[in-house]
Amino acid sequence: MSTDRTRPAGRRDRSRPGTVPAQRPRLPLRPHQWFAERLLAVLSGQRPVHWMLGHTIGEAYDQLAELAPDAPLGAGCRRPAVRTCHGTQPATGVVEAFASIATGGQVRAMAFRLEQGPDLRWRCAAIDLGGERLPAVR
């Protein structure tokens, strides 16, 4: 008979019920990564264009409104995903970023520009989608 009273009779492992394995803390997303996810949500039809209203400046909202109705990053795909996202900072308060988006069996390119306002919030100032669709490399 087992002397450990916390385990049910016949149980041999030492793990306790209801314990969750330790998880690595998730690093916060950098601004260009955060925007890539949000832009993808709009351009794949998962979110409406007005969801980005307070996060765009200049012509970026008009560009989104023009692109979004066709859901260019969601056509024929259950759930598109950001594969990679990189950004460069050509000037203080400016990030130029690009992301590769997996849409089913294809990979699309998305480029965008972020500008930091006087309130220190980042806003999208321009969006561009790559032209030719390429097959995804597996």
PDB file of all heavy atoms in Angstrom, residues 50-86:
ATOM      1  N   HIS A  50     -12.584  49.318 -40.316  1.00  0.00           N
ATOM      2  CA  HIS A  50     -12.645  50.362 -39.288  1.00  0.00           C
ATOM      3  C   HIS A  50     -11.950  49.951 -37.993  1.00  0.00           C
ATOM      4  O   HIS A  50     -11.688  50.781 -37.125  1.00  0.00           O
ATOM      5  CB  HIS A  50     -14.088  50.804 -39.022  1.00  0.00           C
ATOM      6  CG  HIS A  50     -14.951  49.766 -38.387  1.00  0.00           C
ATOM      7  ND1 HIS A  50     -15.719  48.905 -39.123  1.00  0.00           N
ATOM      8  CD2 HIS A  50     -15.142  49.441 -37.090  1.00  0.00           C
ATOM      9  CE1 HIS A  50     -16.365  48.092 -38.297  1.00  0.00           C
ATOM     10  NE2 HIS A  50     -16.025  48.387 -37.058  1.00  0.00           N
ATOM     11  N   TRP A  51     -11.614  48.686 -37.843  1.00  0.00           N
ATOM     12  CA  TRP A  51     -10.854  48.214 -36.684  1.00  0.00           C
ATOM     13  C   TRP A  51      -9.486  48.899 -36.618  1.00  0.00           C
ATOM     14  O   TRP A  51      -8.905  49.041 -35.554  1.00  0.00           O
ATOM     15  CB  TRP A  51     -10.712  46.699 -36.797  1.00  0.00           C
ATOM     16  CG  TRP A  51     -10.194  45.973 -35.613  1.00  0.00           C
ATOM     17  CD1 TRP A  51     -10.694  46.001 -34.342  1.00  0.00           C
ATOM     18  CD2 TRP A  51      -9.090  45.065 -35.573  1.00  0.00           C
ATOM     19  NE1 TRP A  51      -9.970  45.166 -33.524  1.00  0.00           N
ATOM     20  CE2 TRP A  51      -8.981  44.576 -34.260  1.00  0.00           C
ATOM     21  CE3 TRP A  51      -8.199  44.604 -36.536  1.00  0.00           C
ATOM     22  CZ2 TRP A  51      -8.009  43.663 -33.879  1.00  0.00           C
ATOM     23  CZ3 TRP A  51      -7.240  43.691 -36.152  1.00  0.00           C
ATOM     24  CH2 TRP A  51      -7.152  43.235 -34.831  1.00  0.00           C
ATOM     25  N   MET A  52      -8.976  49.350 -37.769  1.00  0.00           N
ATOM     26  CA  MET A  52      -7.665  50.011 -37.835  1.00  0.00           C
ATOM     27  C   MET A  52      -7.766  51.533 -37.896  1.00  0.00           C
ATOM     28  O   MET A  52      -6.761  52.209 -38.057  1.00  0.00           O
ATOM     29  CB  MET A  52      -6.898  49.515 -39.066  1.00  0.00           C
ATOM     30  CG  MET A  52      -6.443  48.091 -38.979  1.00  0.00           C
ATOM     31  SD  MET A  52      -5.201  47.834 -37.701  1.00  0.00           S
ATOM     32  CE  MET A  52      -3.816  48.723 -38.379  1.00  0.00           C
ATOM     33  N   LEU A  53      -8.946  52.068 -37.723  1.00  0.00           N
ATOM     34  CA  LEU A  53      -9.155  53.506 -37.877  1.00  0.00           C
ATOM     35  C   LEU A  53      -8.231  54.344 -37.001  1.00  0.00           C
ATOM     36  O   LEU A  53      -7.601  55.275 -37.469  1.00  0.00           O
ATOM     37  CB  LEU A  53     -10.616  53.861 -37.598  1.00  0.00           C
ATOM     38  CG  LEU A  53     -11.050  55.258 -37.968  1.00  0.00           C
ATOM     39  CD1 LEU A  53     -10.782  55.538 -39.440  1.00  0.00           C
ATOM     40  CD2 LEU A  53     -12.522  55.442 -37.677  1.00  0.00           C
ATOM     41  N   GLY A  54      -8.091  54.028 -35.740  1.00  0.00           N
ATOM     42  CA  GLY A  54      -7.228  54.808 -34.854  1.00  0.00           C
ATOM     43  C   GLY A  54      -5.754  54.442 -34.945  1.00  0.00           C
ATOM     44  O   GLY A  54      -4.923  55.040 -34.272  1.00  0.00           O
ATOM     45  N   HIS A  55      -5.440  53.458 -35.794  1.00  0.00           N
ATOM     46  CA  HIS A  55      -4.059  52.989 -35.904  1.00  0.00           C
ATOM     47  C   HIS A  55      -3.438  53.308 -37.250  1.00  0.00           C
ATOM     48  O   HIS A  55      -2.398  52.769 -37.600  1.00  0.00           O
ATOM     49  CB  HIS A  55      -4.001  51.471 -35.673  1.00  0.00           C
ATOM     50  CG  HIS A  55      -4.535  51.061 -34.350  1.00  0.00           C
ATOM     51  ND1 HIS A  55      -3.870  51.305 -33.173  1.00  0.00           N
ATOM     52  CD2 HIS A  55      -5.696  50.446 -34.018  1.00  0.00           C
ATOM     53  CE1 HIS A  55      -4.597  50.839 -32.169  1.00  0.00           C
ATOM     54  NE2 HIS A  55      -5.701  50.330 -32.649  1.00  0.00           N
ATOM     55  N   THR A  56      -4.087  54.179 -38.017  1.00  0.00           N
ATOM     56  CA  THR A  56      -3.569  54.567 -39.329  1.00  0.00           C
ATOM     57  C   THR A  56      -3.544  56.084 -39.438  1.00  0.00           C
ATOM     58  O   THR A  56      -4.296  56.784 -38.764  1.00  0.00           O
ATOM     59  CB  THR A  56      -4.459  54.009 -40.463  1.00  0.00           C
ATOM     60  OG1 THR A  56      -5.797  54.453 -40.263  1.00  0.00           O
ATOM     61  CG2 THR A  56      -4.424  52.496 -40.508  1.00  0.00           C
ATOM     62  N   ILE A  57      -2.666  56.575 -40.307  1.00  0.00           N
ATOM     63  CA  ILE A  57      -2.608  58.010 -40.611  1.00  0.00           C
ATOM     64  C   ILE A  57      -2.437  58.172 -42.114  1.00  0.00           C
ATOM     65  O   ILE A  57      -2.045  57.232 -42.809  1.00  0.00           O
ATOM     66  CB  ILE A  57      -1.455  58.733 -39.865  1.00  0.00           C
ATOM     67  CG1 ILE A  57      -0.115  58.066 -40.183  1.00  0.00           C
ATOM     68  CG2 ILE A  57      -1.718  58.804 -38.390  1.00  0.00           C
ATOM     69  CD1 ILE A  57       1.089  58.813 -39.615  1.00  0.00           C
ATOM     70  N   GLY A  58      -2.721  59.362 -42.581  1.00  0.00           N
ATOM     71  CA  GLY A  58      -2.523  59.655 -44.000  1.00  0.00           C
ATOM     72  C   GLY A  58      -3.356  58.753 -44.890  1.00  0.00           C
ATOM     73  O   GLY A  58      -4.520  58.484 -44.624  1.00  0.00           O
ATOM     74  N   GLU A  59      -2.727  58.253 -45.956  1.00  0.00           N
ATOM     75  CA  GLU A  59      -3.425  57.450 -46.951  1.00  0.00           C
ATOM     76  C   GLU A  59      -3.564  55.980 -46.564  1.00  0.00           C
ATOM     77  O   GLU A  59      -4.218  55.212 -47.269  1.00  0.00           O
ATOM     78  CB  GLU A  59      -2.689  57.542 -48.286  1.00  0.00           C
ATOM     79  CG  GLU A  59      -2.690  58.929 -48.880  1.00  0.00           C
ATOM     80  CD  GLU A  59      -1.923  58.976 -50.186  1.00  0.00           C
ATOM     81  OE1 GLU A  59      -1.686  57.904 -50.790  1.00  0.00           O
ATOM     82  OE2 GLU A  59      -1.566  60.076 -50.601  1.00  0.00           O
ATOM     83  N   ALA A  60      -2.975  55.575 -45.463  1.00  0.00           N
ATOM     84  CA  ALA A  60      -2.986  54.155 -45.098  1.00  0.00           C
ATOM     85  C   ALA A  60      -4.409  53.616 -44.913  1.00  0.00           C
ATOM     86  O   ALA A  60      -4.703  52.501 -45.344  1.00  0.00           O
ATOM     87  CB  ALA A  60      -2.166  53.916 -43.841  1.00  0.00           C
ATOM     88  N   TYR A  61      -5.274  54.387 -44.297  1.00  0.00           N
ATOM     89  CA  TYR A  61      -6.652  53.914 -44.110  1.00  0.00           C
ATOM     90  C   TYR A  61      -7.348  53.753 -45.457  1.00  0.00           C
ATOM     91  O   TYR A  61      -8.049  52.777 -45.693  1.00  0.00           O
ATOM     92  CB  TYR A  61      -7.449  54.847 -43.196  1.00  0.00           C
ATOM     93  CG  TYR A  61      -8.813  54.289 -42.867  1.00  0.00           C
ATOM     94  CD1 TYR A  61      -8.954  53.321 -41.882  1.00  0.00           C
ATOM     95  CD2 TYR A  61      -9.944  54.698 -43.552  1.00  0.00           C
ATOM     96  CE1 TYR A  61     -10.200  52.778 -41.588  1.00  0.00           C
ATOM     97  CE2 TYR A  61     -11.185  54.168 -43.269  1.00  0.00           C
ATOM     98  CZ  TYR A  61     -11.308  53.203 -42.286  1.00  0.00           C
ATOM     99  OH  TYR A  61     -12.542  52.662 -42.002  1.00  0.00           O
ATOM    100  N   ASP A  62      -7.129  54.712 -46.361  1.00  0.00           N
ATOM    101  CA  ASP A  62      -7.723  54.612 -47.692  1.00  0.00           C
ATOM    102  C   ASP A  62      -7.177  53.394 -48.445  1.00  0.00           C
ATOM    103  O   ASP A  62      -7.917  52.710 -49.144  1.00  0.00           O
ATOM    104  CB  ASP A  62      -7.447  55.887 -48.502  1.00  0.00           C
ATOM    105  CG  ASP A  62      -8.130  57.112 -47.908  1.00  0.00           C
ATOM    106  OD1 ASP A  62      -9.160  56.935 -47.217  1.00  0.00           O
ATOM    107  OD2 ASP A  62      -7.631  58.227 -48.113  1.00  0.00           O
ATOM    108  N   GLN A  63      -5.882  53.123 -48.281  1.00  0.00           N
ATOM    109  CA  GLN A  63      -5.288  51.947 -48.915  1.00  0.00           C
ATOM    110  C   GLN A  63      -5.942  50.670 -48.369  1.00  0.00           C
ATOM    111  O   GLN A  63      -6.278  49.759 -49.130  1.00  0.00           O
ATOM    112  CB  GLN A  63      -3.778  51.900 -48.674  1.00  0.00           C
ATOM    113  CG  GLN A  63      -3.021  52.978 -49.425  1.00  0.00           C
ATOM    114  CD  GLN A  63      -1.564  53.065 -48.986  1.00  0.00           C
ATOM    115  OE1 GLN A  63      -1.247  52.912 -47.812  1.00  0.00           O
ATOM    116  NE2 GLN A  63      -0.699  53.316 -49.952  1.00  0.00           N
ATOM    117  N   LEU A  64      -6.115  50.615 -47.056  1.00  0.00           N
ATOM    118  CA  LEU A  64      -6.778  49.453 -46.446  1.00  0.00           C
ATOM    119  C   LEU A  64      -8.212  49.311 -46.942  1.00  0.00           C
ATOM    120  O   LEU A  64      -8.650  48.204 -47.274  1.00  0.00           O
ATOM    121  CB  LEU A  64      -6.801  49.597 -44.929  1.00  0.00           C
ATOM    122  CG  LEU A  64      -5.665  48.993 -44.141  1.00  0.00           C
ATOM    123  CD1 LEU A  64      -5.838  49.275 -42.656  1.00  0.00           C
ATOM    124  CD2 LEU A  64      -5.547  47.517 -44.381  1.00  0.00           C
ATOM    125  N   ALA A  65      -8.938  50.408 -46.986  1.00  0.00           N
ATOM    126  CA  ALA A  65     -10.333  50.380 -47.426  1.00  0.00           C
ATOM    127  C   ALA A  65     -10.443  49.913 -48.875  1.00  0.00           C
ATOM    128  O   ALA A  65     -11.415  49.249 -49.251  1.00  0.00           O
ATOM    129  CB  ALA A  65     -10.965  51.752 -47.259  1.00  0.00           C
ATOM    130  N   GLU A  66      -9.445  50.232 -49.681  1.00  0.00           N
ATOM    131  CA  GLU A  66      -9.445  49.808 -51.078  1.00  0.00           C
ATOM    132  C   GLU A  66      -9.087  48.327 -51.222  1.00  0.00           C
ATOM    133  O   GLU A  66      -9.662  47.604 -52.029  1.00  0.00           O
ATOM    134  CB  GLU A  66      -8.426  50.668 -51.846  1.00  0.00           C
ATOM    135  CG  GLU A  66      -8.491  50.515 -53.339  1.00  0.00           C
ATOM    136  CD  GLU A  66      -7.533  51.484 -54.014  1.00  0.00           C
ATOM    137  OE1 GLU A  66      -7.587  52.691 -53.710  1.00  0.00           O
ATOM    138  OE2 GLU A  66      -6.723  51.012 -54.836  1.00  0.00           O
ATOM    139  N   LEU A  67      -8.141  47.845 -50.410  1.00  0.00           N
ATOM    140  CA  LEU A  67      -7.668  46.460 -50.514  1.00  0.00           C
ATOM    141  C   LEU A  67      -8.579  45.453 -49.807  1.00  0.00           C
ATOM    142  O   LEU A  67      -8.762  44.338 -50.288  1.00  0.00           O
ATOM    143  CB  LEU A  67      -6.265  46.340 -49.909  1.00  0.00           C
ATOM    144  CG  LEU A  67      -5.130  47.032 -50.650  1.00  0.00           C
ATOM    145  CD1 LEU A  67      -3.882  47.061 -49.777  1.00  0.00           C
ATOM    146  CD2 LEU A  67      -4.852  46.325 -51.964  1.00  0.00           C
ATOM    147  N   ALA A  68      -9.111  45.820 -48.662  1.00  0.00           N
ATOM    148  CA  ALA A  68      -9.801  44.873 -47.777  1.00  0.00           C
ATOM    149  C   ALA A  68     -11.027  44.178 -48.371  1.00  0.00           C
ATOM    150  O   ALA A  68     -11.227  42.999 -48.091  1.00  0.00           O
ATOM    151  CB  ALA A  68     -10.173  45.558 -46.469  1.00  0.00           C
ATOM    152  N   PRO A  69     -11.873  44.832 -49.165  1.00  0.00           N
ATOM    153  CA  PRO A  69     -13.072  44.135 -49.643  1.00  0.00           C
ATOM    154  C   PRO A  69     -12.776  42.841 -50.409  1.00  0.00           C
ATOM    155  O   PRO A  69     -13.570  41.915 -50.390  1.00  0.00           O
ATOM    156  CB  PRO A  69     -13.762  45.164 -50.549  1.00  0.00           C
ATOM    157  CG  PRO A  69     -13.302  46.474 -50.023  1.00  0.00           C
ATOM    158  CD  PRO A  69     -11.886  46.243 -49.556  1.00  0.00           C
ATOM    159  N   ASP A  70     -11.637  42.759 -51.057  1.00  0.00           N
ATOM    160  CA  ASP A  70     -11.279  41.547 -51.802  1.00  0.00           C
ATOM    161  C   ASP A  70     -10.616  40.499 -50.920  1.00  0.00           C
ATOM    162  O   ASP A  70     -10.335  39.399 -51.390  1.00  0.00           O
ATOM    163  CB  ASP A  70     -10.324  41.902 -52.953  1.00  0.00           C
ATOM    164  CG  ASP A  70     -10.984  42.818 -53.976  1.00  0.00           C
ATOM    165  OD1 ASP A  70     -12.216  42.745 -54.134  1.00  0.00           O
ATOM    166  OD2 ASP A  70     -10.254  43.612 -54.598  1.00  0.00           O
ATOM    167  N   ALA A  71     -10.335  40.831 -49.656  1.00  0.00           N
ATOM    168  CA  ALA A  71      -9.632  39.938 -48.726  1.00  0.00           C
ATOM    169  C   ALA A  71      -8.434  39.278 -49.421  1.00  0.00           C
ATOM    170  O   ALA A  71      -8.354  38.055 -49.511  1.00  0.00           O
ATOM    171  CB  ALA A  71     -10.573  38.901 -48.134  1.00  0.00           C
ATOM    172  N   PRO A  72      -7.493  40.089 -49.907  1.00  0.00           N
ATOM    173  CA  PRO A  72      -6.397  39.546 -50.716  1.00  0.00           C
ATOM    174  C   PRO A  72      -5.488  38.554 -49.985  1.00  0.00           C
ATOM    175  O   PRO A  72      -4.826  37.753 -50.615  1.00  0.00           O
ATOM    176  CB  PRO A  72      -5.606  40.789 -51.129  1.00  0.00           C
ATOM    177  CG  PRO A  72      -5.921  41.800 -50.084  1.00  0.00           C
ATOM    178  CD  PRO A  72      -7.336  41.518 -49.669  1.00  0.00           C
ATOM    179  N   LEU A  73      -5.460  38.602 -48.662  1.00  0.00           N
ATOM    180  CA  LEU A  73      -4.594  37.685 -47.920  1.00  0.00           C
ATOM    181  C   LEU A  73      -5.363  36.533 -47.292  1.00  0.00           C
ATOM    182  O   LEU A  73      -4.829  35.794 -46.482  1.00  0.00           O
ATOM    183  CB  LEU A  73      -3.812  38.441 -46.842  1.00  0.00           C
ATOM    184  CG  LEU A  73      -2.832  39.488 -47.365  1.00  0.00           C
ATOM    185  CD1 LEU A  73      -2.127  40.179 -46.211  1.00  0.00           C
ATOM    186  CD2 LEU A  73      -1.832  38.883 -48.328  1.00  0.00           C
ATOM    187  N   GLY A  74      -6.617  36.386 -47.672  1.00  0.00           N
ATOM    188  CA  GLY A  74      -7.395  35.306 -47.083  1.00  0.00           C
ATOM    189  C   GLY A  74      -8.044  34.398 -48.102  1.00  0.00           C
ATOM    190  O   GLY A  74      -8.682  33.430 -47.755  1.00  0.00           O
ATOM    191  N   ALA A  75      -7.864  34.708 -49.361  1.00  0.00           N
ATOM    192  CA  ALA A  75      -8.527  33.934 -50.409  1.00  0.00           C
ATOM    193  C   ALA A  75      -8.046  32.486 -50.422  1.00  0.00           C
ATOM    194  O   ALA A  75      -6.862  32.215 -50.536  1.00  0.00           O
ATOM    195  CB  ALA A  75      -8.264  34.582 -51.768  1.00  0.00           C
ATOM    196  N   GLY A  76      -8.981  31.575 -50.269  1.00  0.00           N
ATOM    197  CA  GLY A  76      -8.681  30.147 -50.368  1.00  0.00           C
ATOM    198  C   GLY A  76      -7.879  29.582 -49.212  1.00  0.00           C
ATOM    199  O   GLY A  76      -7.274  28.541 -49.329  1.00  0.00           O
ATOM    200  N   CYS A  77      -7.899  30.239 -48.085  1.00  0.00           N
ATOM    201  CA  CYS A  77      -7.092  29.769 -46.950  1.00  0.00           C
ATOM    202  C   CYS A  77      -7.945  29.776 -45.695  1.00  0.00           C
ATOM    203  O   CYS A  77      -8.679  30.725 -45.446  1.00  0.00           O
ATOM    204  CB  CYS A  77      -5.887  30.682 -46.768  1.00  0.00           C
ATOM    205  SG  CYS A  77      -4.818  30.191 -45.418  1.00  0.00           S
ATOM    206  N   ARG A  78      -7.817  28.713 -44.916  1.00  0.00           N
ATOM    207  CA  ARG A  78      -8.585  28.660 -43.671  1.00  0.00           C
ATOM    208  C   ARG A  78      -8.139  29.749 -42.712  1.00  0.00           C
ATOM    209  O   ARG A  78      -8.933  30.463 -42.153  1.00  0.00           O
ATOM    210  CB  ARG A  78      -8.416  27.301 -43.011  1.00  0.00           C
ATOM    211  CG  ARG A  78      -9.118  26.195 -43.728  1.00  0.00           C
ATOM    212  CD  ARG A  78      -9.124  24.940 -42.900  1.00  0.00           C
ATOM    213  NE  ARG A  78      -7.851  24.680 -42.263  1.00  0.00           N
ATOM    214  CZ  ARG A  78      -7.015  23.715 -42.594  1.00  0.00           C
ATOM    215  NH1 ARG A  78      -7.318  22.895 -43.561  1.00  0.00           N
ATOM    216  NH2 ARG A  78      -5.887  23.548 -41.952  1.00  0.00           N
ATOM    217  N   ARG A  79      -6.847  29.853 -42.483  1.00  0.00           N
ATOM    218  CA  ARG A  79      -6.335  30.834 -41.532  1.00  0.00           C
ATOM    219  C   ARG A  79      -4.933  31.263 -41.951  1.00  0.00           C
ATOM    220  O   ARG A  79      -3.965  30.556 -41.703  1.00  0.00           O
ATOM    221  CB  ARG A  79      -6.288  30.211 -40.137  1.00  0.00           C
ATOM    222  CG  ARG A  79      -5.817  31.148 -39.072  1.00  0.00           C
ATOM    223  CD  ARG A  79      -6.966  31.573 -38.239  1.00  0.00           C
ATOM    224  NE  ARG A  79      -6.502  32.513 -37.241  1.00  0.00           N
ATOM    225  CZ  ARG A  79      -7.313  33.142 -36.471  1.00  0.00           C
ATOM    226  NH1 ARG A  79      -8.595  32.908 -36.547  1.00  0.00           N
ATOM    227  NH2 ARG A  79      -6.870  33.991 -35.593  1.00  0.00           N
ATOM    228  N   PRO A  80      -4.806  32.421 -42.611  1.00  0.00           N
ATOM    229  CA  PRO A  80      -3.474  32.877 -43.005  1.00  0.00           C
ATOM    230  C   PRO A  80      -2.648  33.225 -41.766  1.00  0.00           C
ATOM    231  O   PRO A  80      -3.188  33.502 -40.707  1.00  0.00           O
ATOM    232  CB  PRO A  80      -3.755  34.110 -43.852  1.00  0.00           C
ATOM    233  CG  PRO A  80      -5.091  34.579 -43.409  1.00  0.00           C
ATOM    234  CD  PRO A  80      -5.849  33.360 -42.964  1.00  0.00           C
ATOM    235  N   ALA A  81      -1.330  33.203 -41.930  1.00  0.00           N
ATOM    236  CA  ALA A  81      -0.458  33.460 -40.786  1.00  0.00           C
ATOM    237  C   ALA A  81       0.757  34.263 -41.213  1.00  0.00           C
ATOM    238  O   ALA A  81       1.247  34.131 -42.337  1.00  0.00           O
ATOM    239  CB  ALA A  81      -0.007  32.143 -40.162  1.00  0.00           C
ATOM    240  N   VAL A  82       1.251  35.080 -40.299  1.00  0.00           N
ATOM    241  CA  VAL A  82       2.501  35.805 -40.518  1.00  0.00           C
ATOM    242  C   VAL A  82       3.634  34.806 -40.328  1.00  0.00           C
ATOM    243  O   VAL A  82       3.781  34.222 -39.255  1.00  0.00           O
ATOM    244  CB  VAL A  82       2.651  36.982 -39.526  1.00  0.00           C
ATOM    245  CG1 VAL A  82       4.001  37.656 -39.697  1.00  0.00           C
ATOM    246  CG2 VAL A  82       1.519  37.979 -39.709  1.00  0.00           C
ATOM    247  N   ARG A  83       4.412  34.568 -41.378  1.00  0.00           N
ATOM    248  CA  ARG A  83       5.553  33.642 -41.277  1.00  0.00           C
ATOM    249  C   ARG A  83       6.764  34.352 -40.692  1.00  0.00           C
ATOM    250  O   ARG A  83       7.396  33.851 -39.774  1.00  0.00           O
ATOM    251  CB  ARG A  83       5.901  33.081 -42.651  1.00  0.00           C
ATOM    252  CG  ARG A  83       4.872  32.082 -43.152  1.00  0.00           C
ATOM    253  CD  ARG A  83       5.217  31.557 -44.494  1.00  0.00           C
ATOM    254  NE  ARG A  83       6.519  30.899 -44.480  1.00  0.00           N
ATOM    255  CZ  ARG A  83       7.066  30.323 -45.520  1.00  0.00           C
ATOM    256  NH1 ARG A  83       6.437  30.327 -46.674  1.00  0.00           N
ATOM    257  NH2 ARG A  83       8.242  29.741 -45.442  1.00  0.00           N
ATOM    258  N   THR A  84       7.107  35.482 -41.265  1.00  0.00           N
ATOM    259  CA  THR A  84       8.222  36.275 -40.753  1.00  0.00           C
ATOM    260  C   THR A  84       7.835  37.742 -40.831  1.00  0.00           C
ATOM    261  O   THR A  84       7.005  38.133 -41.650  1.00  0.00           O
ATOM    262  CB  THR A  84       9.522  36.070 -41.573  1.00  0.00           C
ATOM    263  OG1 THR A  84       9.269  36.469 -42.925  1.00  0.00           O
ATOM    264  CG2 THR A  84       9.999  34.638 -41.531  1.00  0.00           C
ATOM    265  N   CYS A  85       8.455  38.545 -39.989  1.00  0.00           N
ATOM    266  CA  CYS A  85       8.228  39.984 -40.009  1.00  0.00           C
ATOM    267  C   CYS A  85       9.504  40.676 -39.542  1.00  0.00           C
ATOM    268  O   CYS A  85      10.025  40.351 -38.472  1.00  0.00           O
ATOM    269  CB  CYS A  85       7.053  40.356 -39.102  1.00  0.00           C
ATOM    270  SG  CYS A  85       6.670  42.123 -39.155  1.00  0.00           S
ATOM    271  N   HIS A  86       9.999  41.566 -40.357  1.00  0.00           N
ATOM    272  CA  HIS A  86      11.232  42.285 -40.037  1.00  0.00           C
ATOM    273  C   HIS A  86      11.011  43.771 -40.266  1.00  0.00           C
ATOM    274  O   HIS A  86      10.241  44.164 -41.132  1.00  0.00           O
ATOM    275  CB  HIS A  86      12.392  41.805 -40.904  1.00  0.00           C
ATOM    276  CG  HIS A  86      12.682  40.350 -40.740  1.00  0.00           C
ATOM    277  ND1 HIS A  86      13.377  39.850 -39.666  1.00  0.00           N
ATOM    278  CD2 HIS A  86      12.335  39.277 -41.495  1.00  0.00           C
ATOM    279  CE1 HIS A  86      13.465  38.535 -39.772  1.00  0.00           C
ATOM    280  NE2 HIS A  86      12.829  38.162 -40.867  1.00  0.00           N
TER     281      HIS A  86
END
